[in-house]
């Protein structure tokens, strides 16, 4: 590495680690000459490189300043799935990901797990321990089917931030968002019927469709604005769609948030065709904007949106506390909840309610959002450095998941096999499609603490991709 490259790398690392923050004035050329014992032209070239990468800007007579991170230059292409209802496949691959035994040796770069080490979660652990000690019979007993009033009350207070006016009786507590989604889908559709989904789409929902013998109609989706309303309208004209299932805010895996105007238009479209919408808002509170974006439910004036969520991504998945606001389908949803798990576990609900009521949730979210946004930018930088040119990269508006679209024909299931020897795993894109599309895509997690080990692992993934592309080219040529 040249001297100027070394200086640029150090400055870049300092920006990534927040030593120099957005808007900060960077050290003068003279100061850096002294620090690195290099010439003025070396520092000028280093700054030139950072300017070319749009990381810093020179201001006349003032010096160099840190710029906000720009949208990646190559975004993933808008998706074009097969526009006909399909039976869902891919269960083996999903099982492989979700049933992988937890191990300290394997670095899971693609999982949907939040930061569980944050000290801002400590009050939650204390609330759980305290409740275990003092709750007596109530904590040991079945909760009501609808769930803890304390928690439902807190959820309705939180929902005002997303534009929803809910009464505690409008909300049912579930065992995670997975149960909320499963109940919603079973309420609305019977075997053989069709559910329209954004694409790529969370594999957990897809597998519910598979288990219930339903068909998925994958709708083209834009990596910035979400499900194509134009394509959805055509699909609604052509197919007997029972429900539309979308994750319009901080989408998993693409990270976009649909603009409010498109959310409103989506609800209007569903009204026109008299179809229900199942809205998954599990990452919505992790949006990088304040106030957080409105839900579809905020635009729903006739109760057709079933809003599903949980605290698995904002707090911890292990508590299994989720909820559903089912609108006009409340009675059927209540029945499905009963036949699904009956009441949800009592003490985790009370602990989450206490955590929110004491203001710890708001504090925790502020910290996590700041951290995830910073981590997104660091990971974007690593991807830019280590992945082949032409890699499409999403620009998440919240949450902690990044989606990559590889150039060429690299199969990410095979990539995972290649990475196994290095004890690294990514989430292959094919999990997120009913028919195994998106094999050349992968999902990465930036909730992980971005240690040098993780940096090396991301580099390893990028290098392996480059190698696989070169091998594919050689095979084509020979
Ligand atoms: C978009 C989405 N919805 C639902 C779920 C399931 O959530 P829970 O763990 O609360 O059941 C997940 C978990 O990965 C998810 O990413």
């Amino acid at each position: 590495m040249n001297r100027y490259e070394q200086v640029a790398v150090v400055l870049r690392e300092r920006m990534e680690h927040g030593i120099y923050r957005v808007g900060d004035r960077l050290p003068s050329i003279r100061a850096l000459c002294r620090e690195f014992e290099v010439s003025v032209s070396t520092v000028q070239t280093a700054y030139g490189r950072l300017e070319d990468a749009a990381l810093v800007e020179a201001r006349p007579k003032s010096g160099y300043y840190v710029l906000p991170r720009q949208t990646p230059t190559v975004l993933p292409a808008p998706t074009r799935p097969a526009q006909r209802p399909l039976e869902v496949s891919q269960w083996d691959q999903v099982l492989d990901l979700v049933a992988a035994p937890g191990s300290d040796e394997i670095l899971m770069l693609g999982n949907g797990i939040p930061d569980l080490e944050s000290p801002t979660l400590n009050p939650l652990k204390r609330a759980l321990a305290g409740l275990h000690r003092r709750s007596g019979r109530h904590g040991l007993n079945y909760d009501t089917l609808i769930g803890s009033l304390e928690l439902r009350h807190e959820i309705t207070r939180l929902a005002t931030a997303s534009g929803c006016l809910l009464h505690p009786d409008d909300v049912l507590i579930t065992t995670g968002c997975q149960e909320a989604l499963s109940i919603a889908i079973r309420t609305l559709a019977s075997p053989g019927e069709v559910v329209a989904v954004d694409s790529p789409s969370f594999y957990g929902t897809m597998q519910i469709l598979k288990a219930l013998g339903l068909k998925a109609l994958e709708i083209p989706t834009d990596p910035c604005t979400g499900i194509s309303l134009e394509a959805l309208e055509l699909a609604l004209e052509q197919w007997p769609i029972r429900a539309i299932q979308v994750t319009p805010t901080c989408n998993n895996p693409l990270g976009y948030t649909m603009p409010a105007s498109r959310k409103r238009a989506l609800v209007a479209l569903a009204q026109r065709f008299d179809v229900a919408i199942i809205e998954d808002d599990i990452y919505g509170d992790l949006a990088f904007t304040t106030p957080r974006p409105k839900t579809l439910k905020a635009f729903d004036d006739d109760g057709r949106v079933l809003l599903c969520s949980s605290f698995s991504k904002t707090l911890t998945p292990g508590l299994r506390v989720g909820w559903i606001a089912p609108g006009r389908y409340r009675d059927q949803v209540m029945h499905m909840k009963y036949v699904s798990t009956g009441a949800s576990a009592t003490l985790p609900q009370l602990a989450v309610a206490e955590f929110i009521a004491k203001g710890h949730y708001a504090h925790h979210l502020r910290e996590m959002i700041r951290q995830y946004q910073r981590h997104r930018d660091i990971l974007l930088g690593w991807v830019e450095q280590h992945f082949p040119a032409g890699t499409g990269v999403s620009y998440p508006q919240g949450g902690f998941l990044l989606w990559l679209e590889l150039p060429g024909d690299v199969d990410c299931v095979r990539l995972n096999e290649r990475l196994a020897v290095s004890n690294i795993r990514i989430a292959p894109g094919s999990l997120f499609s009913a028919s195994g599309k998106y094999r050349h895509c992968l999902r990465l997690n930036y909730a992980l603490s971005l240690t040098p080990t993780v940096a090396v692992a991301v580099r390893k993934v990028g290098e392996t991709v480059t190698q696989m592309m070169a091998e594919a080219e050689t095979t084509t040529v020979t």
Side-chain angles (χ1 to χ4, degrees), residues 91-401:
W91 168 237
D92 290 351
Q93 279 185 46
V94 174
L95 184 66
D96 194 41
L97 183 79
V98 297
S103 140
D104 288 344
E105 268 107 70
I106 300 177
L107 189 49
M108 306 294 274
L109 285 182
N111 277 13
I113 299 180
D115 177 8
L116 301 178
E117 306 294 334
S118 172
T120 51
L121 285 174
N122 289 346
L124 182 60
K125 295 178 200 161
R126 284 198 292 275
L128 270 171
L131 284 161
H132 270 289
R133 273 197 311 276
R134 9 171 254 275
S135 70
R137 196 182 149 76
H138 174 47
L140 297 180
N141 203 350
Y142 287 120
D143 199 353
T144 52
L145 188 56
I146 188 171
S148 138
L149 177 60
E150 291 91 326
L151 180 58
R152 286 183 288 118
H153 181 66
E154 294 305 332
I155 288 169
T156 57
R157 281 162 43 120
L158 293 177
T160 58
S162 64
C164 285
L165 274 182
L166 297 172
H167 184 274
D169 288 348
D170 296 332
V171 175
L172 260 87
I173 304 301
T174 58
T175 303
C177 188
Q178 186 73 13
E179 188 188 34
L181 291 164
S182 155
I183 287 173
I185 293 170
R186 277 185 295 160
T187 296
L188 297 169
S190 307
E193 290 183 331
V194 179
V195 175
V197 295
D198 43 18
S199 178
S201 191
F202 169 54
Y203 45 77
T205 311
M206 247 21 135
Q207 292 304 318
I208 297 169
L209 301 183
K210 177 177 175 63
L212 297 176
L214 297 164
K215 291 195 176 129
L217 177 52
E218 298 174 289
I219 304 292
T221 299
D222 182 275
C224 296
T225 56
I227 191 165
S228 159
L229 299 181
E230 300 69 21
L232 180 62
E233 184 172 356
L234 287 177
L236 285 162
E237 279 164 5
Q238 200 179 350
W239 306 100
I241 293 170
R242 294 294 300 160
I244 302 163
Q245 197 285 311
V246 283
T247 307
T249 309
C250 312
N251 175 271
N252 171 15
L254 277 170
Y256 62 80
T257 288
M258 274 181 93
S261 56
R262 290 187 78 81
K263 284 182 176 167
R264 189 192 293 277
L266 173 55
V267 175
L269 192 61
Q271 280 172 345
R272 184 145 70 82
F273 285 88
D274 194 17
V275 183
I277 300 180
I278 302 170
E279 176 176 21
D280 185 342
D281 188 51
I282 192 167
Y283 289 93
D285 280 356
L286 291 173
F288 298 153
T289 46
T290 314
R292 58 144 290 168
K294 286 187 175 175
T295 47
L296 295 173
K297 184 85 179 161
F299 302 105
D300 173 28
D301 52 22
D302 61 3
R304 70 180 58 245
V305 177
L306 297 90
L307 177 61
C308 302
S309 191
S310 81
F311 295 95
S312 298
K313 310 299 173 181
T314 47
L315 296 177
T316 81
L319 291 181
R320 311 303 302 131
V321 179
W323 56 274
I324 178 166
R328 60 162 90 150
Y329 302 97
R330 186 175 183 279
D331 292 348
Q332 299 99 301
V333 161
M334 194 79 112
H335 185 211
M336 288 300 160
K337 168 65 182 150
Y338 174 66
V339 299
S340 174
T341 53
S344 293
T346 310
L347 288 180
Q349 296 183 53
L350 298 177
V352 172
E354 184 180 319
F355 185 79
I356 302 170
K358 289 189 171 165
H360 300 304
Y361 183 71
H363 174 58
H364 171 73
L365 278 187
R366 272 198 302 278
E367 288 300 311
M368 289 300 99
I369 287 168
R370 207 175 303 149
Q371 175 178 317
Y372 292 153
Q373 194 165 9
R374 199 166 62 79
H375 280 198
R376 174 199 63 184
D377 292 349
I378 294 175
L379 189 56
L380 283 172
W382 291 352
V383 168
E384 210 172 83
Q385 282 174 61
H386 303 306
F387 278 68
T391 299
V393 191
S394 63
Y395 192 57
Q397 301 304 297
F400 47 78
L401 300 167

